[in-house]
Amino acid sequence: MAQDRQSWAIKDEAIYEDLVQLMNLTSEDINLLKELYPEAEKRVREMTDDFYSRLFAHEMTKEYFEGKDMEYLHKMIGNWFLDLFRGNYDQDYVKQRLRIGHIHVKIGLPVRYPLAMIDIINAHGEKIAETGSNPEKAKEAVQKVTALDIAIFNQAYEDNQLNHLVELVGNERLARRLLQGLG
Ligand code: HEM
């Protein structure tokens, strides 16, 4: 028999706080990331070039960019990357990144594609961390904030699926059971 979970009651704005609490970024993490901001700024274009090189080399992902202003997208993802090093990981930060996740839901992009890009973000994050005062700790901090982004991307997709299923079947409990694979 399926058990109801406390996490099911966490919705909307409460999700931002739930994730912030779970990740528990310490003041040390925050300071290490902030310290890296100038270096991240220097390397941001290298990161966005690698990012779009991969997506343009694959037919399935390339087609999403037809007719798009690529300079604008370099800037947008560059800002998203730099925000990792601004030292502010509050509920507004989660909300803003969840909004970006929802933009990807709306363009019909399978979630595997954004998630498969995290290694590029991490690789550049790690190179940047190596220039800091405590590289090992800084690398861990980078991984923490990018893990938060994995959670956020998934959340955007799950919100969408759950909402539609609730509309279809009429109640959330049944929708959750269906998503669990239970009848
Ligand atoms: C880590 C993964 C990713 C991040 C962080 C990311 C980030 C962003 C950001 C910040 C924007 C601008 C949103 C805005 O207008 O405010 C954007 C737009 C967009 N992204 Fe991504 N993205 C990711 C993965 C992908 C992938 C894998 C694809 C396609 C294969 C993709 C396709 C697009 C497209 C087409 C837009 C423009 C949407 C529109 O305005 O019509 N993104 N992305």
Side-chain angles (χ1 to χ4, degrees), residues 46-76:
E46 203 187 318
M47 190 295 281
T48 69
D49 283 344
D50 278 357
F51 187 88
Y52 287 118
S53 293
R54 179 185 285 171
L55 294 178
F56 272 79
H58 186 59
E59 207 53 51
M60 299 299 132
T61 45
K62 186 178 159 187
E63 75 167 4
Y64 285 90
F65 301 104
E66 273 166 24
K68 296 285 172 200
D69 176 348
M70 288 317 296
E71 265 321 298
Y72 172 77
L73 285 180
H74 271 270
K75 190 173 139 256
M76 294 307 276

